[in-house]
Amino acid sequence: MPRVSQEQAKLNRQRVVEVASSLFRERGLHGIGVVDIMAAAGLTHGGFYGQFANKDALAAEAFDAAIGAEYQANLDAFIENYLSLGHVRTPGRGCPVAALVNDVGREPSGSALRSRFTHAVKGLAGLIADRLPKSSKERRRQRALVALSTMVGAVVLARGVDDEALADELLEAARTTVPGSAGPG
């Protein structure tokens, strides 16, 4: 069997991380296995352990890849996208914090994924705090934590209900109360 070039191995790894990132957000950390992830990436599962120590290592890297996109938008665009039915309906392309909060909460303290999750929550809160109207640093942080909690909570609840009108109402209520939000719209 011919060896894969270093460049191809790098591309394969990137593809596995992207696919895993989406699948973990859609199905949860324990709702998808290595074999299925590799198949979805168009690769055999035999190459997995040459790239990753284990599934947990892949999950941590996939989480990092997913959270990176969250830091790119301005605050109003970030909030508008976050608190949308589109985000609710497509967890595989959405924020990994909202998609994986319950799974990560069951991970042992100190795990690589839990550490990355904590870093992401701090980062998202910082992103929001930095864009809030000037007040004390402590006040901006507190308002940012409330905003992030409201946003994640609204998305998680909207995903859980089977009433689209209620889901939209949850998102709208969050949009009107989140500091820095453009408000209703």
Side-chain angles (χ1 to χ4, degrees), residues 94-140:
C95 177
V97 171
L100 297 173
V101 64
N102 290 326
D103 286 351
V104 172
R106 292 180 185 98
E107 292 293 304
S109 184
S111 73
L113 185 57
R114 197 148 186 188
S115 175
R116 284 174 160 93
F117 187 90
T118 300
H119 181 74
V121 168
K122 289 177 180 177
L124 290 172
L127 176 81
I128 295 167
D130 289 346
R131 290 162 175 81
L132 291 176
K134 295 299 175 205
S135 61
S136 74
K137 183 177 180 179
E138 295 79 22
R139 178 72 179 133
R140 283 196 325 272

Side-chain angles (χ1 to χ4, degrees), residues 81-105:
N81 179 60
Y82 205 99
L83 296 173
S84 70
L85 283 175
H87 183 220
V88 168
R89 291 179 186 136
T90 58
R93 293 194 310 260
C95 177
V97 171
L100 297 173
V101 64
N102 290 326
D103 286 351
V104 172

